[in-house]
Amino acid sequence: DYPFSKESRKGIDVIKDFIKDGDLDPFPTSTPDSFRDIGEKCRAKDPKNRPSTLRILESLRALGARDLK
């Protein structure tokens, strides 16, 4: 058996299908709402609706240390 044989890739295919179908794990309940909001935008099914890296960084900077306490 080879590590990347067709059989061993079934798990990866299951994960890819899971994500493609939009079945993402929920954020931990301890995640601050402001971070969850950013994360939800990043998870948008349509990539065109996802924020750019620059926009994500701007959002995180705007939060500052407020939510890190």
Side-chain angles (χ1 to χ4, degrees):
D1 289 334
Y2 296 97
F4 298 104
S5 69
K6 193 169 187 157
E7 279 298 311
S8 68
R9 301 229 3 114
K10 283 185 178 177
I12 292 171
D13 292 335
V14 169
I15 293 169
K16 283 196 280 186
D17 289 342
F18 186 80
I19 293 169
K20 282 181 186 177
D21 292 341
D23 298 326
L24 301 173
D25 286 337
F27 288 96
T29 56
S30 61
T31 304
D33 290 341
S34 50
F35 286 99
R36 182 177 292 118
D37 291 343
I38 294 169
E40 291 294 346
K41 290 175 185 173
C42 293
R43 290 176 158 194
K45 186 136 178 129
D46 184 348
K48 294 176 188 170
N49 294 330
R50 296 177 194 152
S52 67
T53 303
L54 179 60
R55 182 68 189 128
I56 295 167
L57 289 173
E58 289 171 348
S59 297
L60 291 171
R61 283 189 189 118
L63 293 174
R66 171 185 70 161
D67 289 323
L68 297 177
K69 294 179 181 181

